């Protein structure tokens, strides 16, 4: 297997992980909308919106992340840059969630998934671009 093929595999892997990350964010938002007592804001936390607004934001954000993953899996050229931007934003959102979370291991897992996606999309960029995004 050539380096190009293996990197194209990493990009497809990043697309699958983006589907998972987007699904997680979508369900976090859905839970915040359905169950008001599930997420508790502590005194040390910073939440700019009420939980209902935060739930809608996370729900929509999850859909955006899923669309980015689908774009990567479809081999669209725009999806690589778009995913790099949204996964970087998602990293900082999850980093902020880490300080307010009752579940630090979960937040660290989400951060690790974001780092894996960033690596998959940026490592050996020029070698994988031609093979993965022929049509894009």
């Amino acid at each position: 297997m050539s380096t190009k093929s293996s990197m194209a595999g990493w990009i497809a892997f990043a697309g699958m992980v983006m589907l998972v990350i987007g699904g997680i964010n979508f369900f976090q938002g859905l839970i915040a909308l359905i169950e008001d007592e599930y997420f508790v804001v502590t005194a040390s936390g910073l939440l700019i919106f009420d939980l209902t607004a935060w739930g809608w934001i996370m729900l929509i954000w999850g859909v955006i992340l899923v669309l980015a993953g689908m774009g990567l899996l479809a081999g669209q050229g725009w999806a690589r840059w778009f995913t790099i931007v949204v996964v970087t934003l998602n990293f900082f959102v999850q980093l902020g969630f880490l300080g307010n979370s009752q579940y630090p291991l979960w937040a660290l897992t989400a951060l690790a998934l974001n780092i894996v996606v960033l690596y998959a999309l940026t490592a050996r960029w020029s070698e994988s671009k031609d093979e993965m995004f022929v049509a894009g």
Side-chain angles (χ1 to χ4, degrees), residues 117-129:
V117 169
L118 283 174
Y119 172 79
L121 295 177
T122 57
R124 299 186 184 188
W125 180 283
S126 61
E127 294 176 14
S128 61
K129 184 173 76 170

Side-chain angles (χ1 to χ4, degrees), residues 18-19 61-72 78-79 82-83:
M18 286 302 294
L19 293 177
W61 186 245
V63 170
I64 291 170
L65 294 175
V66 166
L67 291 174
M70 290 170 61
L72 284 175
W78 60 264
F82 180 73
T83 303

Side-chain angles (χ1 to χ4, degrees), residues 96-108:
F97 193 60
L98 177 63
N100 188 31
S101 178
Q102 298 298 322
Y103 309 103
L105 185 59
W106 174 252
L108 289 172

